[in-house]
Amino acid sequence: MRRFYKTLTRLKNKLPTDFPVLVYIVSPNKIKGRYGECYKTEKRYIIRIAKSSWDLMKLILIHEYAHAASDWTQCDDCWHNEEWGKIYSLCWRIYAGED
């Protein structure tokens, strides 16, 4: 559990977003068919991750945090575009301690 929150803190410190990011771990039945999701409200990004193993949840956190950091909400067809891919790669480098 500590490593999960350490990953979140490292991402927030090394790759700040334009709005605060809140992360919730939820029951899998609250986001059926998904491991996680990211959406934006008026004042923050919300990341919801389905409860599972801490290692899997870290992987989902990295993926969803890349959505918040790339502000994909500005484009309807931008979920996994080139800009997101570059930021996703940066999130992995931060996680691995390379950045």
Side-chain angles (χ1 to χ4, degrees), residues 44-59:
R44 62 187 51 97
Y45 291 101
I46 305 293
I47 294 175
R48 296 189 330 152
I49 298 174
K51 186 174 183 177
S52 61
S53 74
W54 288 107
D55 288 333
L56 178 58
M57 290 191 307
K58 277 193 305 186
L59 301 179

Side-chain angles (χ1 to χ4, degrees), residues 9-91:
T9 299
R10 179 181 282 166
L11 287 168
K12 285 181 174 183
N13 289 338
K14 298 270 187 174
L15 187 58
T17 57
D18 54 348
F19 292 97
V21 176
L22 297 178
V23 177
Y24 297 98
I25 297 170
V26 300
S27 170
N29 65 0
K30 290 196 175 193
I31 51 175
K32 288 185 178 189
R34 298 182 187 177
Y35 291 103
E37 65 183 6
C38 176
Y39 60 92
K40 185 178 180 183
T41 66
E42 288 183 23
K43 297 182 179 182
R44 62 187 51 97
Y45 291 101
I46 305 293
I47 294 175
R48 296 189 330 152
I49 298 174
K51 186 174 183 177
S52 61
S53 74
W54 288 107
D55 288 333
L56 178 58
M57 290 191 307
K58 277 193 305 186
L59 301 179
I60 303 306
L61 171 65
I62 292 165
H63 177 103
E64 299 302 340
Y65 193 88
H67 283 302
S70 66
D71 193 18
W72 59 271
T73 60
Q74 299 301 314
C75 172
D76 290 337
D77 194 30
C78 299
W79 288 15
H80 298 117
N81 65 6
E82 187 175 342
E83 177 190 347
W84 176 84
K86 289 176 184 177
I87 293 176
Y88 184 50
S89 174
L90 177 58
C91 288

